[in-house]
Amino acid sequence: MSGRSEARPYWADLSWSDIDLASLYDEKWDLTGRIHTQTKLQILAQYYDIWLKIWNNQNWINRDWYYIDLFAGRGIYSLKTSDQITYWPGSPIIFLNCFAQFHRQGKFKKRTRVHLILVEKRASNAGVLQTLTHQFLGRYPELRDLCRIQIIQGDCNEVIHEVCASIPDKHKTLGNPLFIFIDPYGLQIKVDTLRTLLGLPNRKDIMFNFILEGVQRVRGFAERVKNKENVAIKELKTLKTLEEFMGADVNVIPKDSLEMLRFFVEKNFPGMKVVAYDMPYPHKRDVIYYLIFASRKGSITQIVKDVYARMKQRQHPSIWGPEIYKKNLFSVEADNGNTTPQEGIYRKSLLYRTKVEYSDWTINHFLGCMHGCRFPCYAFMMARRFGWVRSYEDWIRPRLVLNAMDLLYREWLKYGREIECVHLSFMTDPFMFDHREGKLAQTFVDMTLKIIRFLNEKGIRVTTLTKGYYPEEVRDLSKDNEYGITLISLNSKFKENFEPYSAPYKMRIESLKKLARAGFKTWVSIEPYPTPNIDPESSQIEKLLQQIDFVDRIIFGKLNYNVSSNAYHKYEEFYRKMSERVIEFCEKQGIKYHIKTGTPTP
């Protein structure tokens, strides 16, 4: 493809003359015998050339391009031979060199600026990388205004929001190309970090080193735990690391290496086209890792597939040529459907101002709701009206907002001082009940808890309202928060018709009562309250009120958007009486109350 010598990498002529290389030598970064790392670096060099050429030919994009390297290393490797030591650049320096050559050859159609965001956990490595990048720009002074380099020293899982905040928070971000390289040490990246990056709105490609060896080894620990064998505490912590890396319970991870890879790809690269290079050990056929490439553009993935196949042919020549390797490379087009909690959507914003009494801001971090209410549901009507969902069946298969945490961090930076309280949620349910499993939908609950913890850490209280129930983890959250349930009937027949998939009434009440006993602030929304022609038991509101006499606040409101309710012959008189009874009950019990605007009152 490039016409470069097969005998040595193209960067062999890269000048290191102005750097004291001997002082930078570290045997941990020696490539002797590490053929797989040499191969990986040469694949990267070819891909960087491709990336620059592709985006240079797109006239519609902005001229600020972004490169993120989460495990940037020290930027330099060594290779011992019998009579000398040669030096190879690491991934960030290879990229800089590709950009420099592209620029010197006058290939850029317009003035293009690249922003390198390099993350390295070890301070010593980050220091060497700082030296090398500084020296590199010293050799190419014309690039000083064109290469913006930010080196972040820290754990990528802890600084990921700082990384994402470095990307412009504008709609024009779609026109800022982004390449992400993730080559972790073992399993030291959490899938939440990966998903946060994938949530960035940029047109992006990603190369990810899937450490098969590490996953298989830890998977073996899981088998021992399952068989109740003795397992050390350190091994249990390692199992937790694997769960955070794979994004799933270790017991559901397949044993077969290809199925394990497919499981990871389909779960964590929704809607992307993927190809993987299987990197073997030097002296045996087993795979040490898969170099995953993912893009939303199938044409880009096909180009990288060609690069992978030619590299295979170069290392192990076949009479059939690279086509035989291309045919056998792992590839998959991950489905971006909406049938499982792991699949999701990306949004451009998350926090919204409100004018309701609950709070001044709200977050809707899912699209859809498992509870499938049929009052009708205002949220569903709006989602269908604006084309966010196609049907009721589509609505009750909710999707995560995959970039929710990244958006929250960005918007907190922008609006944080204005926010006193955030409500979860008006257009979905933060603690959805999965009626098929008879328990909370854990994937969605986990996202809700992350959001609450983040807001509480920033000094922002949260109110929640659910037709599910509250998990035990809520007890570890701030007592400034307020936790509510919706309860509009105790009639099981009414629930079957209008709240078919929500949590049972008793389950909701008991979970709220436990929180109240533990000293948390609790409330109940009795809205939308049905008329007697819809629920014959609704005229006996005292029975419902007696079940919630422990709460701090009650909100009452009429049923809207329902023809039968509006046609009830004593419509206004009924709601006036119900409002009066709610007020009398609350004043007697010392409970705060609010009657919603538009609901007839005494």
Side-chain angles (χ1 to χ4, degrees):
M1 173 184 157
S2 60
R4 296 181 178 116
S5 169
E6 300 285 315
R8 63 198 224 137
Y10 82 94
W11 57 72
D13 297 325
L14 183 63
S15 172
W16 301 96
S17 58
D18 50 351
I19 301 176
D20 181 9
L21 294 176
S23 66
L24 299 180
Y25 178 79
D26 187 334
E27 62 180 13
K28 295 178 182 177
W29 294 84
D30 196 294
L31 293 177
T32 306
R34 296 166 62 183
I35 304 300
H36 53 85
T37 302
Q38 298 177 37
T39 300
K40 176 176 62 184
L41 293 173
Q42 295 193 59
I43 287 174
L44 276 174
Q46 293 186 50
Y47 172 74
Y48 292 154
D49 270 352
I50 292 169
W51 192 77
L52 292 169
K53 289 173 183 175
I54 288 173
W55 289 113
N56 188 47
N57 289 327
Q58 308 302 313
N59 294 322
W60 58 272
I61 64 168
N62 299 325
R63 307 315 296 181
D64 283 274
W65 303 357
Y66 288 82
Y67 172 96
I68 295 176
D69 194 332
L70 287 194
F71 295 83
R74 64 205 305 266
I76 188 170
Y77 294 89
S78 58
L79 180 62
K80 283 185 179 180
T81 59
S82 57
D83 57 346
Q84 64 176 348
I85 299 177
T86 57
Y87 291 90
W88 289 36
S91 51
I93 306 299
I94 296 174
F95 180 83
L96 282 171
N97 195 54
C98 284
F99 183 82
Q101 299 310 316
F102 214 77
H103 181 268
R104 283 200 164 180
Q105 292 166 16
K107 293 182 179 180
F108 284 112
K109 294 181 179 179
K110 298 178 182 178
R111 179 182 173 87
T112 298
R113 182 165 52 191
V114 293
H115 302 255
L116 284 78
I117 304 168
L118 312 176
V119 181
E120 171 53 39
K121 183 176 181 178
R122 296 180 176 90
S124 58
N125 290 341
V128 174
L129 184 60
Q130 182 74 52
T131 298
L132 292 178
T133 53
H134 179 76
Q135 293 283 4
F136 186 93
L137 293 181
R139 288 195 296 276
Y140 296 93
E142 69 273 21
L143 298 183
R144 286 176 179 169
D145 292 334
L146 301 179
C147 294
R148 302 292 176 86
I149 302 173
Q150 178 183 5
I151 298 176
I152 301 175
Q153 193 264 306
D155 185 329
C156 67
N157 302 297
E158 297 174 0
V159 301
I160 187 60
H161 295 301
E162 180 183 348
V163 170
C164 292
S166 301
I167 310 292
D169 185 16
K170 301 175 182 176
H171 295 316
K172 291 182 181 179
T173 298
L174 290 170
N176 294 109
L178 168 65
F179 175 69
I180 304 165
F181 182 50
I182 304 177
D183 187 11
Y185 312 122
L187 307 180
Q188 294 184 22
I189 182 170
K190 298 179 181 180
V191 74
D192 286 346
T193 302
L194 173 61
R195 290 173 179 170
T196 297
L197 286 171
L198 291 176
L200 291 171
N202 304 66
R203 308 292 176 133
K204 68 184 78 66
D205 297 339
I206 182 168
M207 198 167 280
F208 185 95
N209 188 349
F210 181 75
I211 312 293
L212 179 66
E213 176 195 37
V215 176
Q216 288 179 323
R217 184 176 64 252
V218 180
R219 182 70 176 75
F221 295 162
E223 288 294 317
R224 291 171 56 189
V225 172
K226 189 175 181 180
N227 297 329
K228 297 182 179 180
E229 298 179 25
N230 291 328
V231 179
I233 293 176
K234 184 177 180 180
E235 291 177 340
L236 290 175
K237 291 181 178 178
T238 306
L239 288 180
K240 179 66 174 176
T241 299
L242 179 59
E243 289 181 347
E244 292 174 340
F245 177 83
M246 291 292 288
D249 185 335
V250 293
N251 290 318
V252 304
I253 301 171
K255 293 181 182 180
D256 178 78
S257 60
L258 279 176
E259 288 305 309
M260 188 182 290
L261 174 63
R262 186 178 300 277
F263 177 87
F264 181 80
V265 166
E266 292 181 346
K267 186 175 178 62
N268 299 308
F269 291 89
M272 303 191 82
K273 285 68 177 175
V274 175
V275 62
Y277 188 102
D278 52 307
M279 205 72 73
Y281 286 92
H283 306 298
K284 57 182 179 177
R285 298 183 62 183
D286 292 346
V287 175
I288 184 170
Y289 60 77
Y290 287 97
L291 191 60
I292 295 172
F293 176 83
S295 175
R296 295 197 179 275
K297 291 285 288 183
S299 57
I300 307 298
T301 305
Q302 284 300 315
I303 293 172
V304 174
K305 199 171 185 179
D306 289 337
V307 172
Y308 282 1
R310 282 196 290 271
M311 183 61 72
K312 290 279 186 184
Q313 174 69 10
R314 179 186 302 178
Q315 294 185 329
H316 305 285
S318 166
I319 60 173
W320 307 107
E323 286 302 314
I324 190 66
Y325 288 114
K326 187 175 178 181
K327 183 179 179 181
N328 292 316
L329 284 169
F330 172 92
S331 63
V332 65
E333 293 193 5
D335 181 24
N336 195 27
N338 60 350
T339 57
T340 66
Q342 288 72 33
E343 296 161 348
I345 61 171
Y346 298 100
R347 282 185 174 155
K348 294 180 180 178
S349 59
L350 190 72
L351 277 164
Y352 303 91
R353 292 182 186 271
T354 77
K355 294 182 179 180
V356 300
E357 62 279 359
Y358 307 156
S359 62
D360 52 345
W361 294 77
T362 187
I363 287 175
N364 299 303
H365 45 303
F366 318 132
L367 173 60
C369 178
M370 286 182 170
H371 297 154
C373 298
R374 297 189 176 108
F375 301 117
C377 172
Y378 176 79
F380 166 56
M381 290 193 299
M382 290 298 100
R384 187 169 59 177
R385 175 182 176 184
F386 290 106
W388 302 333
V389 297
R390 298 181 296 272
S391 63
Y392 177 79
E393 289 69 28
D394 193 15
W395 174 256
I396 63 175
R397 293 193 298 266
R399 285 165 281 181
L400 281 170
V401 176
L402 296 174
N403 59 334
M405 293 307 299
D406 176 53
L407 289 174
L408 181 58
Y409 179 79
R410 289 165 176 247
E411 293 173 355
W412 169 75
L413 290 174
K414 187 175 182 179
Y415 304 117
R417 293 183 180 179
E418 305 173 32
I419 303 172
E420 293 184 8
C421 181
V422 173
H423 178 67
L424 307 179
S425 303
F426 287 118
M427 295 289 287
T428 188
D429 192 301
F431 294 99
M432 279 186 286
F433 181 74
D434 187 340
H435 73 284
R436 297 162 300 181
E437 300 290 334
K439 60 182 181 181
L440 294 177
Q442 196 60 47
T443 301
F444 296 107
V445 169
D446 288 345
M447 178 63 80
T448 294
L449 293 172
K450 285 180 185 177
I451 287 174
I452 297 175
R453 289 189 186 104
F454 177 87
L455 292 170
N456 286 168
E457 287 171 2
K458 306 305 180 185
I460 299 170
R461 67 186 179 88
V462 175
T463 66
T464 62
L465 183 64
T466 184
K467 290 179 186 174
Y469 63 89
Y470 287 101
E472 288 297 317
E473 293 92 331
V474 167
R475 291 170 175 257
D476 299 326
L477 302 175
S478 171
K479 288 196 173 181
D480 289 333
N481 299 330
E482 297 182 29
Y483 302 101
I485 61 169
T486 297
L487 190 69
I488 55 178
S489 178
L490 300 176
N491 184 349
S492 59
K493 187 65 177 177
F494 173 84
K495 180 184 180 304
E496 182 181 335
N497 292 332
F498 289 93
E499 296 179 347
Y501 310 127
S502 60
Y505 297 139
K506 185 176 181 181
M507 192 176 286
R508 296 184 216 174
I509 296 168
E510 287 302 315
S511 76
L512 196 66
K513 188 177 291 185
K514 287 180 180 178
L515 287 177
R517 288 171 178 167
F520 290 89
K521 300 173 185 175
T522 58
W523 64 292
V524 171
S525 173
I526 310 177
E527 183 198 15
Y529 197 70
T531 48
N533 60 327
I534 295 175
D535 178 9
E537 296 184 9
S538 65
S539 59
Q540 305 172 41
I541 195 171
E542 286 82 5
K543 288 185 178 180
L544 187 153
L545 293 170
Q546 288 167 6
Q547 293 292 317
I548 55 173
D549 60 359
F550 57 89
V551 301
D552 300 295
R553 181 164 54 113
I554 291 175
I555 292 175
F556 179 78
K558 66 184 179 69
L559 173 59
N560 299 306
Y561 316 112
N562 187 294
V563 175
S564 298
S565 178
N566 293 338
Y568 183 62
H569 68 290
K570 297 180 180 179
Y571 175 83
E572 290 199 4
E573 182 183 345
F574 170 76
Y575 280 118
R576 193 172 291 112
K577 286 183 178 179
M578 295 304 105
S579 298
E580 183 176 10
R581 292 177 187 176
V582 169
I583 294 171
E584 288 177 354
F585 176 84
C586 290
E587 290 181 345
K588 183 178 180 181
Q589 298 292 331
I591 297 172
K592 295 178 182 179
Y593 63 87
H594 177 81
I595 308 300
K596 293 296 291 289
T597 302
T599 301
T601 56

